[in-house]
Structure formats: C-alpha cells, structure tokens
Amino acid sequence: MSDNEPINVNISVTPAVQSLQNPQSSLRSPVKKNRCGAAISDDTELPTIPRTSLQRILKELEFEYTKRNRNSALTERGDIVVWRQKYILDIRRYRNEGLTIYFLDETWVNAGETCNKVWMDKTIKSHTDAFLKGLSTGPKNPTGKGKRLIVVHIGSAEVMDNASYHSVKLDPIPTMAWKKDKIVQWLRSKGCSIETPMVKHLMMDKVREIRHLHDKYVIDEEALKSNKIVLRLPPYHCKLNPIELAWAAVKNHVKYNNTTFKLNDVQQLLVYGVNLVTPNVWANFIEHTIKEEDKLFNIDFITEDFEEGGTSQVMKITGDTSSDCSD
C-alpha cells in the first residue's frame, strides 16, 4: 500500500488503534505510534500501513502528537460524552414506557466468506497421503472474496448508527466551506435579516443560533410520519447495538459451513444463520447490551470524579472500544 492510497479509517484500522484504549474507562491514554503499528500488524485482516499513513490516520482519529504531561489525561470529546449520556437516558425512558425498540443495522457477506484459521492434522503430508488414508484435505480456499450479499435486518424509537446513508440532511446546514452568497440565501430563507457587508464568521454565528431548528434528517422525518422515533448511536459505540452480536453469530455460521464459495449457497447459509437467532438468543443479546449501557453510563461519572480529584492514577490499557464491529 502506498502512502497516497486512501484508507477507510472507520471500517479498517480504527478498531485496532482503539484496542489500545481501556474499555472500563472513557479516558484515552496517550498512545505511541509504535504500539499502534504493532496492533495493526497483529490483525491479519488489515493491510500493512506505512508509518506516514499511520500518522495521518492518528490525526484523523483526533490524536495530537504533543509533549506529555505526567499529570494529564487524554479524555473523550465532550460532544461524544453528551451524545452517549442522552442516548442512554432516552433508551431507558422508552423501555420504561413500554415502547417496542427496533435495532437496525446492515452488513455484508462475501461468496468467499471463510474462517481465517482452522485446525490442521500435521500428520497428513500431502493430498496423496490423505487419499491413501481415506481422508480429504477439504476444499481449497477461494482466491478472493468474490461477489457480495448486502444484508439489512431489524431486531425488535428505532436505533441506528450514523452511516452517511442514514444521515442525509433534510435541509443542509451551511458550513465555512459554503460561498457567502449561499449562506446569505439560506439565512434569508429562514427569515433572518442580513445586512451586508458581513464577514462569513458572523454569518456562521447566525447559522449556529438557529441551526437546531432546521438540523433534521430525511429518515427521521419519514419515521415520524409513521409515529416512530429514531435514536442514533453515538460514534464508536457499536457495543450498544445488540444486532452486532447477531451479525457475528450469523456470519460465523456462514464462515464455518461455507464449502462451495458460491453466492447462492452462501445466501442459503445466511438465511439459516438468521433463523438461528431465536427470540431467546435475541433476548440474551438485549440483556448484554443493557449491561453495556449501564457500564458506560457509570463510567462517565467515574471519569469526572477522576478529573476533578486531580490524583495520579495508573491505568491498564486493554480491550476494544471500536465503533464498527461488523466487518
């Protein structure tokens, strides 16, 4: 991979980099690039990433290369904490009100879906040896991933992640990238009185004053027509969507039983795997997710106590806090 080759951070290296963080705390400890590189290299499903590309990715993940202070701690962005707290409070309220909650997500399954590692009989030295012993070395691995099935499902407000296709704005909100005449046009369409000349920063200040009245998503408004409420998962919080556990179970079934690597056969395995997620299994996934909600909700208060206390603590860095669990 060249340094100029684009890398999809969200679905590739983000889980490996964030695996260096502590799942028991929202504190993000300073991370060395060498550790990040090692974490990515250890993941067999990720490509080799040059050091310069890794540095760019760390910047995209909003890490800053800075002098380390012995008494400092790198914490989560405030907007993520607020988003998480509001989400958990909302979903708790909807449960208490007895509302049916649907969890929505999508994934994909390749025709060449198979296990990366299998147990091998090291006493078998060749195909001929296997044949003479009445055994088989099994089907060869596919040469590539092959064609892909796109899978969308919903498990019993609606809850979804923040993929771009879920987040199309009903009325795009101006940004600093807009031309001034476009910003003026948008503000006047909302009933704002604009006196020219006016610098763009002052225009954007007016935009921020009223954006909460117009910052709406197409899919949210469509859901409201059917008396449904859409909840959006905070970024990097796939653990709060139980359907991710369902996807893992379904795709494992496909991987362990895919012997032909033909798309039609994979589709049948996929349907059968979905049926294996029975109501009892789904209930267990929900129970696990609620425990994750409680843990993350309480962690925010622990973090505040830690920050306000000003005491020095040593933290073990383990686990995975990635946002996109399904591959």
Side-chain angles (χ1 to χ4, degrees):
M1 177 181 295
S2 67
D3 286 1
N4 295 326
E5 184 175 345
I7 300 173
N8 189 330
V9 174
N10 286 336
I11 64 173
S12 58
V13 303
T14 303
V17 173
Q18 291 184 327
S19 69
L20 302 175
Q21 307 303 320
N22 186 355
Q24 303 302 323
S25 173
S26 61
L27 289 177
R28 301 173 69 200
S29 294
V31 175
K32 296 181 179 179
K33 281 188 287 186
N34 290 340
R35 289 196 63 199
C36 292
I40 295 169
S41 299
D42 291 342
D43 194 323
T44 58
E45 295 185 359
L46 295 180
T48 301
I49 299 177
R51 184 180 180 88
T52 53
S53 296
L54 177 57
Q55 185 173 350
R56 185 180 71 250
I57 292 168
L58 288 173
K59 288 182 179 179
E60 292 176 3
L61 291 174
E62 299 192 19
F63 281 87
E64 180 182 3
Y65 190 67
T66 183
K67 185 175 181 179
R68 193 169 171 177
N69 187 323
R70 290 183 178 273
N71 297 322
S72 64
L74 191 60
T75 62
E76 277 186 304
R77 284 169 21 206
D79 61 311
I80 300 296
V81 175
V82 171
W83 194 331
R84 177 171 59 240
Q85 285 283 313
K86 286 184 176 180
Y87 170 84
I88 295 175
L89 290 172
D90 284 342
I91 201 167
R92 284 177 174 177
R93 184 174 74 254
Y94 294 143
R95 287 197 186 101
N96 291 335
E97 292 174 358
L99 298 182
T100 301
I101 299 176
Y102 301 90
F103 292 88
L104 173 68
D105 194 31
E106 62 287 319
T107 188
W108 62 82
V109 178
N110 298 307
E113 203 81 41
T114 187
C115 297
N116 293 325
K117 294 183 179 180
V118 294
W119 288 103
M120 299 292 293
D121 185 350
K122 297 182 68 174
T123 65
I124 303 299
K125 304 301 182 182
S126 65
H127 288 277
T128 302
D129 188 19
F131 176 77
L132 293 175
K133 294 180 179 180
L135 301 173
S136 170
T137 56
K140 292 183 178 180
N141 284 339
T143 55
K145 293 183 178 181
K147 294 183 178 179
R148 171 180 292 183
L149 291 172
I150 304 298
V151 191
V152 180
H153 213 295
I154 192 167
S156 72
E158 295 182 7
V159 180
M160 63 179 64
D161 60 24
N162 291 281
S164 58
Y165 39 83
H166 293 160
S167 305
V168 178
K169 297 288 187 178
L170 187 66
D171 184 10
I173 305 296
T175 67
M176 284 298 292
W178 284 33
K179 297 292 186 181
K180 289 179 66 173
D181 59 338
K182 293 291 184 182
I183 300 176
V184 170
Q185 182 180 347
W186 187 89
L187 286 168
R188 285 177 174 167
S189 72
K190 308 307 177 192
C192 292
S193 177
I194 302 298
E195 298 180 1
T196 55
M198 181 182 290
V199 297
K200 184 183 286 189
H201 282 286
L202 189 53
M203 291 181 185
M204 288 303 300
D205 189 55
K206 289 183 174 292
V207 169
R208 285 187 287 271
E209 289 177 2
I210 64 171
R211 70 171 295 157
H212 67 283
L213 301 174
H214 308 283
D215 195 9
K216 299 177 180 180
Y217 297 98
V218 171
I219 197 169
D220 294 37
E221 298 305 303
E222 289 298 318
L224 282 175
K225 294 177 182 178
S226 301
N227 198 29
K228 298 292 189 300
I229 301 170
V230 175
L231 281 181
R232 295 177 179 274
L233 287 168
Y236 320 118
H237 286 73
C238 67
K239 291 181 179 181
L240 300 184
N241 192 346
I243 205 170
E244 296 286 359
L245 298 173
W247 285 146
V250 170
K251 296 179 81 169
N252 278 337
H253 173 77
V254 174
K255 289 179 180 180
Y256 281 105
N257 294 279
N258 187 13
T259 57
T260 66
F261 309 118
K262 295 179 179 179
L263 202 61
N264 288 338
D265 294 338
V266 168
Q267 184 173 357
Q268 293 180 22
L269 290 172
L270 178 64
V271 172
Y272 188 83
V274 170
N275 290 332
L276 292 177
V277 183
T278 62
N280 285 337
V281 172
W282 179 249
N284 289 334
F285 291 162
I286 294 290
E287 182 180 356
H288 175 83
T289 302
I290 292 175
K291 291 179 180 178
E292 289 294 325
E293 292 171 6
D294 294 341
K295 180 174 69 175
L296 290 173
F297 186 83
N298 293 331
I299 279 173
D300 288 331
F301 293 96
I302 295 173
T303 302
E304 280 191 341
D305 291 341
F306 172 81
E307 292 173 343
E308 292 184 359
T311 57
S312 176
Q313 296 189 25
V314 178
M315 306 181 69
K316 292 180 84 174
I317 310 301
T318 59
D320 181 4
T321 58
S322 63
S323 63
D324 195 349
C325 292
S326 59
D327 52 354

